[in-house]
Amino acid sequence: MKTGICALTTALLAGTALATGAHAQVRPGPVPEAETAVTLDQLSVENALGQVGPQGGVTVGYLTKQTRTATKTATPLLDTPQSITVVTREQITDQNFQNLTDQLRYVPGVIPAQGENNRDQAIIRGQSTSADFFVNGVRDDVQYYRDLYNIERVEVLKGPDSLIFGRGGGGGVINRVLKEADGARVRQITAGGGQFGDKRLTVDVGDRFSDSAFFRLNGIFEDSGTYRQFGELTRYGVNPTMTFLLGPQTTLRLSYEYFHDDRFPDRGIPSQFGRAYNYRNNIRTFFGNPDVNFTKVDAHIATATLDHLFDSGVELHSQLRFADYNRYYTNTLPGSAVNAAGTAVSITGYRNETDRTNYFNQNDFTYRFLTGDIKHTLLAGFELGYQDGLAFRQTAYVGNSLVTSVTVNPLSPITRVPLTFRNNGGSDPNVRYNLGLAAVYAQDQIDLNPYVQVVGGLRYDHFDFAARNQNNGVTYPRIDDLVSPRAGLVIKPLPNLAFYGSYSVSYLPSSGDQIGNFTPGLVIAQPERFQNLEVGAKYDVTPTFQLTAAGYTLDRTNQRLPDPNNAGFFILSGRTNTQGFEVGANGYVTDWWQIAGGYAFTDARIESATSATVVAGNTVGLVPFNSVSLWNKFAVTPEFSIGVGYIYQTHTFASSDNTVRLPGYSRFDLGLFYQINEATRAQVNIENLFDRRYIYTADNNNNLTPGAPRTIRAQVIVRF
């Protein structure tokens, strides 16, 4: 065992050096089969080097040792003064969740939000977002459900950090790292199925045309039902990638993805008396008109990435991305609580179209040098972006009347009354918008000596947004010039132990989390501001097992309070504060036991009123005080492994007015994995093993999503 650990230590150090070195050319090594059971003694130097992955990642099992996402330079997580949780490809495969939001449930401090059941939405450190999603560090902010078929790992960076990501990211960001063509031979098909008509097929094929041209192709097709009444989804996608070694110092990577997802959106069940309405008997029950509900997205995403090492030692990392999203959804939903007599609940509806086209170009220049004995990693760069799109909403009316709701009995909550959808010209937006973005930034990572490191930087954003109201022809423009600092200190009394402190700021312009509709009141509103102070520790117990801890306070200011004396305008007096503590564990505890997860204490409070009902002292909606998420994988034999997951959270409130209480819950998940032969692995996953009845998440006080009952899924992974 000691020999195996020493070999792995050498390999990880060598892998880090490979990923952080100045050489831009890809030098692929042998890639181990990620899903094959591996012990520490079996992890050779050669195999660990093969795990140097996209975006500077160095990964072994459930542990990622290094990434470039948090600093824009390949930096060990131990040396990064920020709380980061990485979900590796092996963990994604083992847990076999179908949606990104579900996968994030095993990230400490991240809570799923309903997202109107048509998109990914998460709450990070008390801040809800549907826009702070990135791919390889580039913004992917449209509202839709993202699949993981083409993803190498998912990185959750906690705390605001506009220096790296620009606007938003008040509680943190979620970055997906794409699989890429690395020259390794890959032939893999994964076929799965399970309860509720689950049927899914993915393909991953890669090879090289020559020593300087590599390709890879990932594809997905899924046609499934869900545990909810009428629930169904169809999605398919294809993502070819290519890598060209243009010279010993230049690498070009190309990627194109087409992704389609359509499904039946379901806003869940209403409340009654401040609790979820009879939820133990309504796990499947749909409230609304099933003939109307529908959502879809068609996404085209093309990316070109150029890495070049200049003779001066300066490294260029440049990304150019075009993304076009055609996005549409129609919902009917509970529009009120169930009345006291239990005889009536209203059903309302709406239709939304939110198309968007994104153009982004990021250019990072990195230079490493010495001033005396002090080491510097200097980053400077700029980002240019342009986004345009449509925000168009229609309200559902009963027939041709002006009535906007239908009353039904909650014991028979389905209605098929004909509906007419019309833009009301008032609260329904009908807007064409465009955003021009220009940013410059600089950062220096300074190694004062082997024991002390300092990180400091500054970013300037020019944010030029305009929205044209197509109902009245009026254009509402606003320009913001934002400056975002970042500072961090890392103290390493031992090579494998780091204590850190950090300060970071980000801004959310008045156009909001999802840019779109603009009003005269929003035009004059200053951006919201997020400020994070954090201290923490990271400890590599062994080269393959890391423990982390972080304590923080996060202040959100300039939140908009509706002006009671001037309809449509705002008073910028809203404030929230989140104080919390997080503990994380990832990697091999022993050669037969892997672990991923942790504990989070989160106290997110309203500090000043943002409405008549959201007042100081209230708890921010959907944020539990205590939450635990822990996944364990035990290698019983070289062929057979067992996964055991546990999720627990204390009670929450459906919204920040604290009038509807959602009970706390605990849930166990199970995975069984068997390596049939060298080329074939079979697995069975059981979600909610003990069939616990609970409320999973919510969108507001009367759109509450029951958790899935016991759900069994199976898949077979074949390599050839």
Side-chain angles (χ1 to χ4, degrees):
M1 173 60 66
K2 190 173 293 184
T3 302
I5 292 178
C6 290
L8 183 59
T9 304
T10 304
L12 288 172
L13 291 173
T16 301
L18 175 67
T20 58
H23 212 280
Q25 178 168 318
V26 174
R27 295 191 182 278
V31 178
E33 296 178 346
E35 289 80 20
T36 303
V38 180
T39 67
L40 297 186
D41 288 324
Q42 294 172 318
L43 285 168
S44 67
V45 173
E46 187 176 75
N47 278 345
L49 279 174
Q51 291 180 318
V52 177
Q55 295 287 298
V58 177
T59 297
V60 53
Y62 291 171
L63 176 64
T64 292
K65 300 282 289 185
Q66 175 183 282
T67 177
R68 65 172 291 121
T69 306
T71 59
K72 288 184 175 285
T73 66
T75 303
L77 294 190
L78 190 69
D79 298 339
T80 304
Q82 184 176 7
S83 179
I84 303 170
T85 300
V86 180
V87 183
T88 67
R89 181 71 245 175
E90 184 171 335
Q91 183 181 340
I92 291 169
T93 301
D94 286 349
Q95 293 180 318
N96 192 21
F97 288 118
Q98 306 299 300
N99 293 313
L100 173 62
T101 304
D102 289 339
Q103 185 69 68
L104 295 173
R105 193 61 188 87
Y106 275 91
V107 175
V110 177
I111 301 298
Q114 186 194 89
E116 299 180 275
N117 201 236
N118 61 51
R119 62 179 181 263
D120 290 316
Q121 187 158 340
I123 300 170
I124 310 173
R125 292 190 170 176
Q127 317 303 318
S128 181
T129 180
S130 65
D132 293 321
F133 295 90
F134 291 75
V135 177
N136 286 5
V138 181
R139 191 173 295 274
D140 175 45
D141 56 0
V142 171
Q143 297 176 328
Y144 69 106
Y145 279 120
R146 297 152 178 86
D147 202 279
L148 300 174
Y149 76 99
N150 59 343
I151 299 303
E152 186 67 26
R153 64 183 182 273
V154 179
E155 304 168 330
V156 182
L157 294 86
K158 302 167 191 175
D161 191 355
S162 280
L163 188 147
I164 301 298
F165 295 101
R167 72 182 190 269
V173 303
I174 298 162
N175 181 58
R176 292 169 293 142
V177 177
L178 293 175
K179 297 177 183 178
E180 65 182 29
D182 57 8
R185 187 182 187 277
V186 180
R187 303 286 191 277
Q188 179 173 299
I189 295 177
T190 304
Q195 283 181 276
F196 314 115
D198 183 38
K199 301 178 291 294
R200 180 180 171 91
L201 179 71
T202 64
V203 176
D204 186 357
V205 177
D207 216 322
R208 57 177 67 200
F209 293 117
S210 67
D211 288 340
S212 60
F214 314 147
F215 79 91
R216 191 165 184 174
L217 176 69
N218 280 271
I220 166 71
F221 178 79
E222 180 174 356
D223 183 16
S224 298
T226 76
Y227 67 97
R228 293 284 292 165
Q229 188 181 16
F230 305 111
E232 59 182 5
L233 67 95
T234 300
R235 62 176 124 183
Y236 45 85
V238 61
N239 182 197
T241 63
M242 294 196 68
T243 299
F244 299 95
L245 307 184
L246 302 181
Q249 299 179 188
T250 307
T251 302
L252 175 66
R253 297 177 179 87
L254 302 176
S255 171
Y256 166 74
E257 180 182 14
Y258 168 68
F259 182 71
H260 170 89
D261 183 293
D262 69 62
R263 63 181 63 214
F264 184 91
D266 179 354
R267 295 283 294 267
I269 66 176
S271 65
Q272 185 187 38
F273 305 130
R275 299 290 187 270
Y277 170 71
N278 194 20
Y279 68 91
R280 289 184 174 85
N281 296 315
N282 283 305
I283 297 298
R284 287 179 45 81
T285 309
F286 172 70
F287 285 70
N289 187 334
D291 300 331
V292 171
N293 285 31
F294 179 74
T295 181
K296 80 170 183 71
V297 64
D298 285 289
H300 299 266
I301 305 172
T303 307
T305 304
L306 179 68
D307 288 286
H308 179 71
L309 173 63
F310 294 95
D311 292 338
S312 62
V314 174
E315 301 169 43
L316 167 66
H317 180 71
S318 178
Q319 294 193 85
L320 178 65
R321 176 166 298 157
F322 164 80
D324 182 73
Y325 308 86
N326 183 264
R327 177 83 172 90
Y328 166 88
Y329 57 100
T330 304
N331 260 327
T332 55
L333 59 143
S336 69
V338 175
N339 68 351
T343 58
V345 61
S346 69
I347 301 296
T348 62
Y350 62 97
R351 175 182 291 164
N352 258 3
E353 184 175 355
T354 55
D355 304 334
R356 185 175 299 168
T357 303
N358 291 345
Y359 307 83
F360 290 113
N361 177 225
Q362 291 183 0
N363 299 276
D364 302 328
F365 299 88
T366 305
Y367 184 59
R368 296 175 175 85
F369 62 95
L370 295 174
T371 55
D373 293 331
I374 299 175
K375 300 178 183 179
H376 295 262
T377 300
L378 183 63
L379 168 78
F382 65 92
E383 179 176 356
L384 301 174
Y386 181 78
Q387 298 178 264
D388 61 40
L390 171 70
F392 180 64
R393 176 186 168 102
Q394 295 175 308
T395 297
Y397 294 89
V398 179
N400 291 316
S401 70
L402 297 178
V403 177
T404 59
S405 65
V406 177
T407 299
V408 298
N409 189 310
L411 299 178
S412 181
I414 294 173
T415 175
R416 286 187 163 87
V417 172
L419 299 175
T420 302
F421 292 88
R422 302 193 299 271
N423 182 276
N424 63 24
S427 59
D428 287 345
N430 181 10
V431 171
R432 283 280 180 187
Y433 60 83
N434 60 77
L435 165 67
L437 170 70
V440 293
Y441 44 86
Q443 172 187 268
D444 196 4
Q445 296 169 260
I446 307 170
D447 291 6
L448 297 176
N449 54 52
Y451 309 103
V452 180
Q453 301 169 352
V454 177
V455 179
L458 204 65
R459 177 178 176 126
Y460 164 75
D461 281 283
H462 178 74
F463 191 88
D464 187 351
F465 181 77
R468 183 179 185 274
N469 186 321
Q470 298 193 116
N471 290 326
N472 59 22
V474 176
T475 298
Y476 300 104
R478 180 178 172 88
I479 294 176
D480 286 298
D481 294 297
L482 307 174
V483 177
S484 306
R486 176 188 189 181
L489 172 67
V490 179
I491 298 175
K492 299 179 69 175
L494 299 171
N496 61 332
L497 174 64
F499 298 96
Y500 70 87
S502 68
Y503 169 78
S504 58
V505 171
S506 69
Y507 293 92
L508 183 64
S510 51
S511 51
D513 196 45
Q514 285 293 331
I515 56 175
N517 191 29
F518 229 20
T519 64
L522 289 174
V523 166
I524 62 174
Q526 294 296 316
E528 295 187 42
R529 186 176 188 270
F530 303 83
Q531 175 181 283
N532 189 70
L533 293 170
E534 180 175 330
V535 295
K538 300 181 182 182
Y539 178 39
D540 285 349
V541 182
T542 70
T544 57
F545 180 48
Q546 185 175 83
L547 295 175
T548 62
Y552 64 90
T553 179
L554 194 163
D555 290 296
R556 180 176 186 172
T557 55
N558 278 1
Q559 288 183 273
R560 291 177 284 276
L561 168 66
D563 187 343
N565 300 313
N566 195 356
F569 288 79
F570 304 91
I571 301 171
L572 302 182
S573 62
R575 299 191 310 274
T576 63
N577 172 260
T578 305
Q579 299 183 25
F581 178 75
E582 299 166 357
V583 177
N586 288 81
Y588 285 88
V589 182
T590 69
D591 61 357
W592 51 268
W593 177 18
Q594 286 197 79
I595 193 170
Y599 162 78
F601 167 77
T602 312
D603 185 6
R605 297 280 184 170
I606 307 296
E607 286 205 323
S608 68
T610 56
S611 74
T613 56
V614 180
V615 297
N618 282 12
T619 300
V620 173
L622 295 182
V623 181
F625 284 107
N626 298 283
S627 61
V628 176
S629 54
L630 194 61
W631 175 263
N632 303 269
K633 183 181 180 183
F634 305 99
V636 181
T637 70
E639 297 80 22
F640 178 62
S641 299
I642 297 175
V644 178
Y646 176 67
I647 293 173
Y648 164 79
Q649 70 174 49
T650 51
H651 79 272
T652 63
F653 293 98
S655 69
S656 296
D657 65 12
N658 290 188
T659 59
V660 175
R661 187 180 189 272
L662 308 181
Y665 69 89
S666 59
R667 187 186 94 187
F668 285 90
D669 298 331
L670 180 69
L672 304 172
F673 318 104
Y674 188 73
Q675 195 71 36
I676 298 172
N677 53 46
E678 191 173 298
T680 307
R681 184 179 104 150
Q683 76 180 71
V684 174
N685 290 87
I686 305 175
E687 179 184 329
N688 192 6
L689 179 65
F690 298 111
D691 202 22
R692 177 71 185 269
R693 298 293 197 261
Y694 67 101
I695 296 297
Y696 178 53
T697 187
D699 189 73
N700 57 45
N701 287 340
N702 291 299
N703 293 168
L704 317 176
T705 299
R710 182 190 299 115
T711 304
I712 302 174
R713 293 188 296 271
Q715 67 178 11
V716 176
I717 302 170
V718 179
R719 299 181 183 85
F720 55 94

